[in-house]
Amino acid sequence: MTPASGHRGQHGAMMSQRMRIGLAVLVLLLAVLGIRLVFVQGLDPSGHAQAAVSERLRTVPIPAERGDIIDSQGRTMATNVERYDLVVDQRVVDDFRDRDEVSGLQTTVTLDSALADLGEALDEDPQDLEEALVGDSPYSVVKRGITPEERRQAMEIGIPGLYAEPLSQRTYPSGSVGGSILGFVGADGQPLDGLELSQQDALAGADGERTYEIAADGVRIPTATFEETPAQDGQDLRLTLDQDLQWFAQEAVAEKANQYNAQWGNVTVLDAETGDILAMADSQTVDPADPGETDELFRRPLAVTQDFEPGSTGKAITFAAALEEGAVTPTDAFTVPNRYDFDGQVVNDAVRHPTYEMTAAGIFARSYNTGTVMVGNEVDEQVRYDYMRATGLGEDIDIGMPSEATSLLRPPEEWDARQPYSTQFGQGYTSSVLHSISMFQAMVNGGVHQDLQLIDAYVDPDGREHPVDRAEGERVFSEETSEEMLRLFEGVVTEGTGDGAQVPGYRVGGKTGIAQAAGEGGGFDGHTISFIGAAPLDDPQYLVSVSIHRPQGHWQSWQVTDTFSDVMGHVLSTYQVPPEGDEDEAYEIQLDD
Amino acid sequence: MSTPAAAMPQPQSTPRAAAVRRPTLRALPKLHRRHRGLTIGIVGLLLAALVMVLTVNIHVSNTQYRVVELQAERQLLVQQNQALSQQNQYLESPQALSGSAVDLGMVMPGQAGALDLESGAVAGEAEAADSADRPSSFVQNPLQPGSEGVDTLDVSAAAAEAPSGLLGAGALELLAQPTPGEAESSDAAEESGAAQPSSEYDGGTIPAPSWD
């Protein structure tokens, strides 16, 4: 070995020594990294990979759109609009820099001037806005339910920390037309009353969900995870109501209730053949957009919620039962005094009158209590009770609203000494407007009773319709009895107590009623006046009921037949029923005395 | 040739050098032409694949931005559509119709007659409407969409662009300046369908409403 080579060998040994140390260090580092890698990738006790994915992963609910409520003609009564809640993270709000549009330079915008701009965009006082924007809260609502346009203007100002949360808001384009039937939803979108509440399952649908990964700029990474469960939109609800007719009826009954300064009034319009409710109008109606403004009484339809003694309109069932049983014919003669003692129970007429010789039809037309009991006594009380039950009295009526219409009618074995007589002229039991009009429906529709309908069909988002099952009509009276009842009803209008109900060009019939209204402490402290009638009598197609509760003034001055005539006239011309003439076929009422 | 040259200057190193050199020459063989083509081919293929993947990725990302853009545009259109529908529904509400009709001088219809098309007979007697019989207004007007901040300017601008020119607010403006005949038929159509035949067939049994 040369010295040179010996030096080199020494040097090489030293090098290899260093190399070994360096290698060892490298291997050590590699081992650390490797172990860490195995730890992170293989063992992963704290789920780093999952955490990374979760960081990018976004799961957003896809809200199902609530179904609309439409009327029988397809007009929208309730629908949804996109709105935003404007919220702010108060900790970030400050003066900010913005690019001046004219000069192109960055300028500082003071919070005050930004607030003034925001005030203009939202139509709010900047002072109030300052209260909402300045503070330490990370979440403060500036304004709820702003429109997309307001949102755009507000966001353009560029106030830091200000953002808009989208929401779907329920709107009722026709305001309080049919408001108590539609019901309303709370600020959080939860249904509170009316069809909105009772039909929630159909209207709401089912929310969906979308899961995806986003990049740092917030845009979805196209190749990464993407899962979507589509939302199932709610079904639309098609009602039997006619929105325009509903409005007309609301105007008419409001005018009448106003005239007599009554507590409430109701007009209900029914399709006599199908039992479809075309209008259910109250003297005041809640505006679903602002339910708190309306008295609680008027937040639900009165035809459903109020049951009261029907009074003389209830005489119709007494006569129909007597005719159907063959106990009486319309032209049978009766001696009708002003006051009569039936086995110790004295029945009076509302007005004093001389004793008349008159027909059964005449008793009905003039609405004499004494004569009615004479007619009704020809029928066994259990049989009469069965007829009352067959037309729906004493049973709840469910038309798909949150509550059912009730009627209180005890069976004969529970009646007191007076009820065998008082139930004959519409006292001693209660009936809602729906019960009364339903009872008349059976009488004018050839004796066939149809269940009342408010909901016509459920319509899927793709347009498929699911009509509501309609029960087959039930025959309560014969065709002949129905014919005779129509002529009795006509007598009321042509010769009796309901002469204001006439509609020129049509044969009209109905029955008036005045009942005492029970007060809260028991006893009677007011009246309910009503008229229920049908037209045209040649082939009855529509029924209109008018009820006014607790009118002020003297009872003999009250008339609701003019309201009936207005509404019925409107119904007949709107639905293009040709005027076939008003030649009446009423029975003789008075016999020569 | 290499053997004599190697043997002469340093004979002792010859076998070692030869032993070292020979495998070196064998380890780096001259590349065959077809092998080079293969390598270029593979590299080219790799490059092409890379470029393709890049292109596809860039395209997909760009499309993703386009999707976001289109979604924003769609949302805007949906919102405009909603604003217009709301305007439409408001104008369709019975209260607004009645109010507009009264503003145009319309009154409640009189009793209508009907014409039997088969027999040609007139059923019922048509009456002139009472010029003072205005509809009552007990039912409160619904909230007008414009008053809660929907940009009404946008709405009317959009309505003006509509093909028939008879949409939205434009319809009312048009109705405000009708010929007398048009005024009557729209009266009948809005207030009561049954009043229509009498005004059309009898050439105006209902006198034109007064413009007070």
Side-chain angles (χ1 to χ4, degrees), chain A residues 49-63:
Chain A
Q50 195 54 49
V53 173
S54 303
E55 180 70 23
R56 300 190 302 267
L57 211 58
R58 294 286 182 275
T59 300
V60 290
I62 310 173

Side-chain angles (χ1 to χ4, degrees), chain A residues 75-76 79-84 145 147-153 169 171-177 217 219-223 243-244 247-248 250-252 254-255 258 287 504-506 570 572-574 576 578-580, chain B residues 57 60-61 64-65 68 75-76 78-79 82 86 89-90 92-95 97-98 108 111-114 123-125 127 135-143 145 147-151 154 190-195 197:
Chain A
R75 303 182 196 99
T76 308
T79 186
N80 316 297
V81 285
E82 268 182 56
R83 289 291 180 267
Y84 295 87
T147 63
E149 183 60 25
E150 286 175 317
R151 167 187 167 268
R152 196 182 57 73
Q153 288 175 7
Q169 206 175 56
T171 63
Y172 304 88
S174 299
S176 60
V177 175
D217 57 3
V219 172
R220 183 168 82 84
I221 304 171
T223 50
Q243 182 176 271
D244 285 358
W247 167 79
F248 188 91
Q250 281 184 214
E251 287 287 346
E255 189 173 4
N258 197 46
D287 181 351
Y506 300 91
H570 179 81
L572 293 172
S573 71
T574 302
Q576 309 201 345
E580 300 284 8
Chain B
N57 251 343
V60 167
S61 315
Q64 197 61 28
Y65 282 99
V68 171
Q75 198 192 10
L76 188 73
V78 164
Q79 288 171 350
Q82 244 178 27
Q86 262 191 291
Q89 284 161 357
Y90 168 75
E92 256 183 3
S93 74
Q95 301 99 308
L97 275 180
S98 151
M108 295 299 282
Q111 191 199 328
E125 276 177 47
E127 266 178 13
S136 55
S137 53
F138 286 98
V139 182
Q140 214 185 345
N141 260 21
L143 200 61
S147 65
E148 50 162 319
V150 172
D151 195 340
D154 262 5
E190 280 183 36
E191 287 296 325
S192 143

Side-chain angles (χ1 to χ4, degrees), chain A residues 218-236:
Chain A
V219 172
R220 183 168 82 84
I221 304 171
T223 50
T225 319
F226 182 74
E227 285 166 17
E228 192 177 74
T229 317
Q232 285 196 318
D233 289 345
Q235 290 178 307
D236 289 350

Side-chain angles (χ1 to χ4, degrees), chain A residues 530-550:
Chain A
S530 52
F531 185 86
I532 306 175
L537 290 186
D538 307 297
D539 175 23
Q541 294 181 33
Y542 300 102
L543 276 158
V544 172
S545 145
V546 184
S547 312
I548 299 290
H549 194 66
R550 295 181 194 279

Side-chain angles (χ1 to χ4, degrees), chain A residues 33 103 186 240 308 479:
Chain A
L33 283 177
S103 62
T240 57
F308 48 90
E479 292 265 0

Side-chain angles (χ1 to χ4, degrees), chain B residues 159-205:
Chain B
E161 284 167 22
S164 71
L166 255 171
L167 290 168
L172 267 186
E173 277 163 37
L174 211 82
L175 278 175
Q177 327 254 325
T179 62
E182 273 174 351
E184 264 178 36
S185 60
S186 54
D187 172 12
E190 280 183 36
E191 287 296 325
S192 143
Q196 209 162 358
S198 68
S199 64
E200 285 195 353
Y201 291 123
D202 300 348
T205 46

Side-chain angles (χ1 to χ4, degrees), chain A residues 259-278:
Chain A
Q259 179 188 343
Y260 294 143
N261 204 6
Q263 188 188 0
W264 57 259
N266 171 274
V267 167
T268 296
V269 184
L270 200 68
D271 184 316
E273 283 166 22
T274 61
D276 283 357
I277 298 169
L278 304 178

